[in-house]
Amino acid sequence: MYTSRKKIHKDKDVEPTEFEESVAQAFFDLENSNQDLKSDLKDLYINSAVQIDVSGSWKAVVIHVPYRLRKAFRKVHAKLVRELEKKFSGKDVILIATRRILRPPKKGSAVQRPRSRTLTAVHEAMLEDIVLPAEIVGKRTRYRIDGSKIMKVFLKAISSRPFPQFTGSLLERRLCLSTQLRRHRDVLFNFQVL
């Protein structure tokens, strides 16, 4: 029997949390009820889902999807996010591909790590995933005397869907807090009129 458990694949057979079960159930319901998304969602699944408090009562749902399925998710991104935001009312839904950061190779080692697995490349790709309905056309980093950074990201709107600027800037900071290099960075999003 096909159930919502097929819509979430965790590493090493870890049991999904209650919230992840609810997100998987939402995917399953969308596949069964929405005829536009049925064929597209048939082979798609998620790795994990987290609910993040952005500020006060404002929340965001971050859904981690497998890296190999990111192109398939991007094809249906606009419809999928719109439908998931209806199911999780009052919350922004953001899809992020699961990427892995590898540590630098030891001195004298002949092994090279791929550029896509460096800390900087992973954070840049996460930033592109966060602003996905829009396209990044420019970035400016301002360094302050106290060592903190402000990154201004200039966006070009592709779809008519409004981008949640407040959620995007706080979410990027929360997701990158685990690393030492990105600790004191704020991100500001600006839309350019072209």
Side-chain angles (χ1 to χ4, degrees):
M1 185 172 155
Y2 193 70
T3 63
S4 64
R5 294 285 282 202
K6 299 285 185 187
K7 287 296 178 185
I8 184 164
H9 292 219
K10 302 283 282 183
D11 290 338
K12 300 175 185 170
D13 297 328
V14 177
E15 288 295 318
T17 63
E18 185 178 324
F19 183 71
E20 290 172 341
E21 287 276 346
S22 67
V23 172
Q25 184 64 42
F27 265 84
F28 183 71
D29 293 343
L30 278 176
E31 183 181 345
N32 290 331
S33 63
N34 194 330
Q35 294 300 321
D36 294 338
L37 294 173
K38 184 171 186 142
S39 63
D40 295 325
L41 290 179
K42 186 176 97 173
D43 297 327
L44 300 181
Y45 58 89
I46 63 173
N47 284 342
S48 65
V50 181
Q51 183 173 347
I52 295 178
D53 294 328
V54 178
S55 71
S57 63
W58 197 259
K59 297 184 186 303
V61 177
V62 179
I63 301 171
H64 293 276
V65 300
Y67 181 76
R68 290 182 178 182
L69 297 177
R70 76 188 187 288
K71 288 184 181 178
F73 271 103
R74 285 186 179 193
K75 287 180 184 175
V76 295
H77 184 271
K79 293 178 191 174
L80 183 61
V81 168
R82 190 177 329 112
E83 293 297 323
L84 287 174
E85 283 179 348
K86 288 178 189 175
K87 294 221 178 240
F88 301 108
S89 60
K91 298 174 187 169
D92 291 328
V93 176
I94 297 175
L95 300 172
I96 295 179
T98 304
R99 293 177 172 86
R100 181 163 293 155
I101 300 171
L102 295 179
R103 64 178 55 200
K106 295 181 180 178
K107 293 200 177 208
S109 175
V111 178
Q112 290 279 331
R113 77 175 160 169
R115 169 81 172 98
S116 64
R117 302 275 169 75
T118 62
L119 177 88
T120 305
V122 169
H123 284 289
E124 296 297 323
M126 283 174 58
L127 185 62
E128 287 180 13
D129 287 346
I130 290 173
V131 300
L132 188 59
E135 181 181 325
I136 296 175
V137 293
K139 293 181 210 166
R140 302 289 183 266
T141 304
R142 181 177 167 199
Y143 296 92
R144 291 187 177 162
I145 295 173
D146 63 351
S148 63
K149 299 179 198 178
I150 294 181
M151 178 187 278
K152 286 188 179 180
V153 178
F154 299 99
L155 303 172
K156 176 183 169 187
I158 293 177
S159 67
S160 60
R161 180 181 176 263
F163 173 69
Q165 291 186 357
F166 187 65
T167 300
S169 61
L170 288 174
L171 190 64
E172 202 277 338
R173 185 174 181 152
R174 290 261 174 101
L175 291 174
C176 296
L177 270 179
S178 62
T179 60
Q180 293 294 325
L181 295 177
R182 307 281 180 170
R183 186 174 51 196
H184 299 292
R185 182 172 79 169
D186 292 327
V187 179
L188 302 173
F189 294 105
N190 294 329
F191 277 98
Q192 282 189 328
V193 179
L194 299 174

